[in-house]
């Protein structure tokens, strides 16, 4: 099983906040008075024994700012579930198997539109693909400029390697206190606007 850290880079678009951060955000929103509702909230606890206390804190923050929950859309006490297109489990955040299957079942692209479909699927899984720019560079190069479509051996090999990599996708996990934390920095001679 591969594990990647769930970091600020990984959460740029869909961020996960601690309860004090939620309180600050709701306080800021309360001053705007334009916010009608907030969607997609998750309270996840490291230990089962802490969960009820954390829910109480969360509910009191929501109550303080007059926020209401729709009981028909609430789910409590689940060990895992889908959230914002990802699977949240006790192990961490996992890629949605449907998104992975869609890419794994995809045949080799035969035109530019199919390469665009491939890069769209890659974008949805980007945070689970280490060094995605390097792995997917042949696809992005096919889309640059008004080149004639040519799916060559380099593209096919990159496509096969990507499928192999995604057959066992990594899990995004938070660092464990007291364990060594290794930071790997990837430098690439190539750049891609989509990654």
């Amino acid at each position: 099983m591969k594990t990647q850290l769930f970091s600020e880079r990984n959460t740029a678009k869909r961020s996960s906040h601690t309860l004090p951060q939620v309180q600050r955000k709701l306080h800021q929103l309360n001053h705007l008075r334009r916010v009608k509702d907030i969607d997609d909230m998750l309270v996840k606890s490291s230990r089962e024994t802490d969960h009820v206390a954390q829910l109480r804190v969360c509910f009191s923050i929501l109550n303080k700012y007059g926020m209401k929950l729709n009981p028909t859309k609430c789910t409590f006490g689940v060990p895992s579930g889908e959230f914002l297109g990802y699977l949240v489990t006790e192990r961490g955040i996992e890629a949605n198997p449907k998104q992975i299957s869609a890419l794994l079942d995809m045949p080799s692209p035969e035109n530019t539109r199919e390469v665009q479909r491939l890069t769209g699927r890659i974008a949805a899984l980007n945070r689970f693909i280490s060094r995605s720019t390097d792995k997917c560079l042949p696809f992005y190069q096919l889309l640059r400029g008004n080149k004639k479509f040519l799916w060559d051996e380099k593209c096919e090999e990159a496509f096969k390697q990507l499928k192999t990599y995604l057959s066992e996708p990594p899990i995004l996990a938070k660092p464990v206190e007291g364990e060594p934390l290794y930071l790997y920095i990837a430098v690439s001679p190539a750049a891609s606007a989509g990654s």
Side-chain angles (χ1 to χ4, degrees):
M1 169 179 40
K2 296 175 245 172
T3 304
Q4 288 181 322
L5 286 181
F6 193 59
S7 66
E8 288 302 315
R9 183 235 181 254
N10 298 111
T11 59
K13 291 182 183 155
R14 295 183 173 146
S15 54
S16 172
H17 301 292
T18 62
L19 288 177
Q21 290 171 319
V22 169
Q23 187 167 10
R24 279 194 300 276
K25 295 251 183 231
L26 288 175
H27 182 71
Q28 292 166 356
L29 294 174
N30 192 38
H31 290 295
L32 295 175
R33 298 280 186 213
R34 287 186 227 145
V35 176
K36 299 267 189 243
D37 61 10
I38 296 175
D39 288 340
D40 301 322
M41 193 170 96
L42 172 72
V43 179
K44 184 176 186 281
S45 305
S46 298
R47 293 186 310 245
E48 192 175 335
T49 56
D50 298 337
H51 196 65
V52 171
Q54 289 178 349
L55 281 172
R56 277 196 185 104
V57 171
C58 183
F59 291 152
S60 83
I61 293 169
L62 291 171
N63 192 37
K64 179 179 177 180
Y65 294 101
M67 304 296 288
K68 306 285 185 223
L69 298 176
N70 181 346
T72 62
K73 293 185 176 183
C74 295
T75 307
F76 295 97
V78 293
S80 65
E82 191 172 324
F83 184 71
L84 297 174
Y86 304 104
L87 292 181
V88 180
T89 69
E90 68 273 355
R91 296 185 304 175
I93 298 172
E94 303 178 30
N96 189 325
K98 293 175 194 167
Q99 292 175 331
I100 292 175
S101 292
L103 196 145
L104 293 178
D105 296 342
M106 196 175 177
S108 297
E110 295 180 359
N111 56 48
T112 302
R113 183 72 187 122
E114 290 178 6
V115 175
Q116 290 171 333
R117 190 174 298 127
L118 170 63
T119 58
R121 290 177 180 172
I122 290 168
L125 295 167
N126 190 34
R127 65 191 71 216
F128 297 95
I129 304 171
S130 175
R131 299 185 64 108
S132 66
T133 298
D134 293 337
K135 285 181 175 67
C136 303
L137 189 60
F139 317 137
Y140 299 128
Q141 288 174 334
L142 267 179
L143 298 175
R144 284 195 187 137
N146 289 332
K147 297 179 192 173
K148 184 177 186 259
F149 178 81
L150 177 63
W151 184 265
D152 58 13
E153 284 300 316
K154 193 175 174 183
C155 294
E156 187 62 32
E157 184 59 30
F159 189 52
K160 287 179 182 175
Q161 287 178 2
L162 180 63
K163 284 184 168 188
T164 301
Y165 181 83
L166 286 174
S167 65
E168 285 188 50
I171 296 170
L172 303 178
K174 66 179 187 169
V176 177
E177 194 174 323
E179 287 190 13
L181 178 62
Y182 298 100
L183 175 65
Y184 295 94
I185 300 175
V187 180
S188 177
S192 171
S195 57

